Amino acid sequence: MIFAPLLVVLLAALLSAGLILLLKPLLQRYALARPNARSSHRVPTPQGGGIAIIAAALLTVVVLAGPTGIVLGGIELPVLALAVSALAVVGAVDDIRPLPASLRLVIQAGAVAAVVLAAEGRLLPDVPLGLERAFAILAGLWFVNLVNFMDGLDWMTLAEFAPPLAFLFALGLAGRYAPEPTLVAGALLGGLLGFAPFNRPVARLFMGDVGSLPVGLIVAWLLFRLAGEGGSAAALILPLYPIADATLTLLRRLRRGEAVWQAHRSHFYQVATVNGFSVPGVVGSVFAVQAVLAGLAGVTLLWPSPPVTLACLVLAAGLVGWLLRRFATPRAVSN
């Protein structure tokens, strides 16, 4: 039944766009994002579009699970849905009235732990299971937060994750990825595409924490499943730009003795706009790099040999390093 998988992205996109149109008046009234130290916008703009993205993705999975041959009888997808919903609620509250960082971190850790413990597959078969799961929880918690940190520019989350999600969805349609994560990847891709017209520069709507936190958890689970199916190198390459930008920025701030939990504008993609790059130029560059990374990830799966994998990892690291250096370098102003 090939038609059902091909409907996943379209249905999720339509649901996402429709929900945004319905919710936008409420978001305009109750969830207005005012410029702060971290913001790239200059005028108050409604946030909370992530409600539509996540709701559309979850509804699409439920509606199309049957036609795509997926039985929702196990615990993995229900646990993922509950954890995603919990992060969405926390994000929605935080968007309206900021919560203490410690409380947010505890809830995020609980959601990540639930998903990791319910997930199928092994990341490090030669390592004791408890140690592997602990590592996966810490990595997942960082990933959820870095996705939130990187959602600071119009279309940035779409540029970072549309190529990996499209790759994972296509991988599943080709029979190289399990049906459950394939369906989830397609549904989340559609949800992001439905949100895209409202977030294009200059954005009329932001995703908010209600969207970025759950998106981070879903993508982390998708990558965990990919690594568990033998695609560890691909799972590292696919999100390499946001991982590198967020992690290097955190390390630089720690070295300078800054309070890393406070809002800031020192990510490479944010510095790029100060250095003369336009918003479309930044997100376009990130999208292009992420698309190339998806291609390199595919090579590691098609030719799974150590030399090929090492070469792809080196190329991926070099490409991301080049983009970060480009963003950090002020552009020459022509007369």
Side-chain angles (χ1 to χ4, degrees):
M1 296 178 65
I2 190 65
F3 70 91
L6 296 179
L7 283 176
V8 172
V9 176
L10 177 60
L11 177 60
L14 291 175
L15 283 172
S16 179
L19 287 170
I20 287 173
L21 292 174
L22 289 174
L23 293 171
K24 195 174 179 184
L26 291 175
L27 300 176
Q28 181 77 43
R29 172 179 262 183
Y30 297 110
L32 207 61
R34 302 186 183 281
N36 57 33
R38 180 190 168 200
S39 303
S40 296
H41 64 291
R42 297 182 179 180
V43 298
T45 304
Q47 61 184 344
I51 297 173
I53 297 170
I54 301 306
L58 293 178
L59 285 171
T60 299
V61 170
V62 171
V63 170
L64 292 183
T68 52
I70 296 173
V71 179
L72 298 176
I75 67 167
E76 190 170 14
L77 286 182
V79 168
L80 177 65
L82 288 173
V84 163
S85 300
L87 288 190
V89 170
V90 171
V93 173
D94 197 50
D95 284 336
I96 297 171
R97 180 175 296 179
L99 297 170
S102 57
L103 177 60
R104 295 199 309 267
L105 193 63
V106 168
I107 297 174
Q108 291 167 9
V112 172
V115 170
V116 168
L117 294 177
E120 298 179 5
R122 294 289 307 272
L123 296 179
L124 305 167
D126 297 329
V127 173
L129 181 61
L131 186 60
E132 178 202 275
R133 293 309 197 208
F135 167 77
I137 291 170
L138 289 175
L141 183 59
W142 172 233
F143 193 84
V144 166
N145 280 280
L146 76 83
V147 172
N148 182 34
F149 298 155
M150 295 295 291
D151 182 38
L153 207 62
D154 303 340
W155 267 357
M156 177 56 74
T157 299
L158 186 74
E160 290 168 335
F161 295 113
L165 289 170
F167 170 82
L168 293 174
F169 187 58
L171 190 68
L173 294 185
R176 302 290 298 271
Y177 194 37
E180 294 85 355
T182 299
L183 177 59
V184 173
L188 182 57
L189 175 61
L192 287 172
L193 292 177
F195 168 71
F198 304 92
N199 188 240
R200 66 182 179 86
V202 174
R204 294 171 290 154
L205 179 66
F206 296 148
M207 180 184 298
D209 288 1
V210 66
S212 60
L213 295 174
V215 166
L217 182 57
I218 294 172
V219 174
W221 175 75
L222 292 171
L223 295 173
F224 182 97
R225 287 297 305 266
L226 178 63
E229 295 178 19
S232 297
L236 177 60
I237 291 172
L238 285 171
L240 192 55
Y241 173 77
I243 288 176
D245 190 323
T247 303
L248 291 174
T249 299
L250 175 69
L251 294 175
R252 285 188 305 163
R253 297 191 72 210
L254 284 171
R255 187 180 62 185
R256 293 196 294 258
E258 298 178 14
V260 296
W261 56 89
Q262 293 180 353
H264 65 95
R265 280 182 44 80
S266 54
H267 284 285
F268 286 87
Y269 74 92
Q270 293 170 320
V271 171
T273 61
V274 177
N275 286 338
F277 288 81
S278 66
V279 172
V282 172
V283 296
S285 297
V286 171
F287 181 89
V289 165
Q290 288 292 94
V292 174
L293 292 180
L296 292 173
V299 171
T300 67
L301 297 175
L302 289 174
W303 294 282
S305 68
V308 171
T309 297
L310 179 60
C312 289
L313 287 169
V314 170
L315 287 173
L319 180 61
V320 170
W322 166 81
L323 183 59
L324 294 176
R325 184 177 180 83
R326 183 167 179 258
F327 282 167
T329 304
R331 302 192 74 181
V333 178
S334 59
N335 295 325

